[in-house]
């Protein structure tokens, strides 16, 4: 049973930083793509950033230059470093992983990020 466990969310002020972690059960190298999504109240879930097994990254325009996604195979963990946070970054952040075989998609339970102005 694959599990994705997010951590690192919290309440910060605008301009501050947070680092989210997503611990993946088993080997992270069994996933071809791991990403972070977010969902604000009343809005659709949106992609924030993703990283492939080949370390290619993709970012939403709204976070480019402020957020950095990375993966550490030895710890089977993906990180999202979030700098210069803005109130509009407030949302529940979800980790997402797509398995190499069968392209099965997995989701974590989410972690709340709240940025006050």
């Amino acid at each position: 049973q694959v599990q994705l466990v997010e951590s690192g969310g919290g309440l910060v002020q605008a301009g501050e930083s947070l680092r989210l972690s997503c611990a993946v059960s088993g080997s992270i190298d069994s996933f071809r793509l791991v990403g972070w999504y977010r969902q604000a109240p009343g809005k659709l879930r949106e992609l924030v950033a993703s990283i492939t097994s080949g370390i290619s990254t993709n970012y939403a325009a709204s976070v480019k230059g402020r957020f950095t996604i990375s993966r550490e195979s030895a710890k089977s963990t993906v990180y999202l470093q979030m700098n210069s946070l803005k109130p509009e970054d407030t949302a529940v952040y979800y980790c997402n992983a797509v398995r190499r075989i069968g392209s099965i998609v997995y989701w974590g339970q989410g972690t709340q990020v709240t940025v006050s102005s």
Side-chain angles (χ1 to χ4, degrees), residues 38-61:
R38 67 186 180 187
Q39 187 166 20
K43 295 189 176 181
L44 296 175
R45 191 172 295 188
E46 62 175 358
L47 174 68
V48 176
S50 63
I51 186 167
T52 69
S53 55
I55 319 298
S56 295
T57 57
N58 181 46
Y59 295 94

Side-chain angles (χ1 to χ4, degrees), residues 1-76:
Q1 180 74 11
V2 173
Q3 286 189 313
L4 309 180
V5 180
E6 301 103 331
S7 61
L11 171 63
V12 296
Q13 292 189 331
E16 294 184 340
S17 300
L18 278 176
R19 188 177 79 157
L20 305 183
S21 299
C22 173
V24 181
S25 63
S27 171
I28 196 171
D29 294 328
S30 66
F31 297 92
R32 61 177 176 84
L33 182 72
V34 184
W36 287 95
Y37 286 71
R38 67 186 180 187
Q39 187 166 20
K43 295 189 176 181
L44 296 175
R45 191 172 295 188
E46 62 175 358
L47 174 68
V48 176
S50 63
I51 186 167
T52 69
S53 55
I55 319 298
S56 295
T57 57
N58 181 46
Y59 295 94
S62 59
V63 307
K64 198 171 290 186
R66 299 189 296 124
F67 291 10
T68 302
I69 189 170
S70 60
R71 56 191 283 164
E72 186 173 359
S73 294
K75 294 187 176 181
S76 204

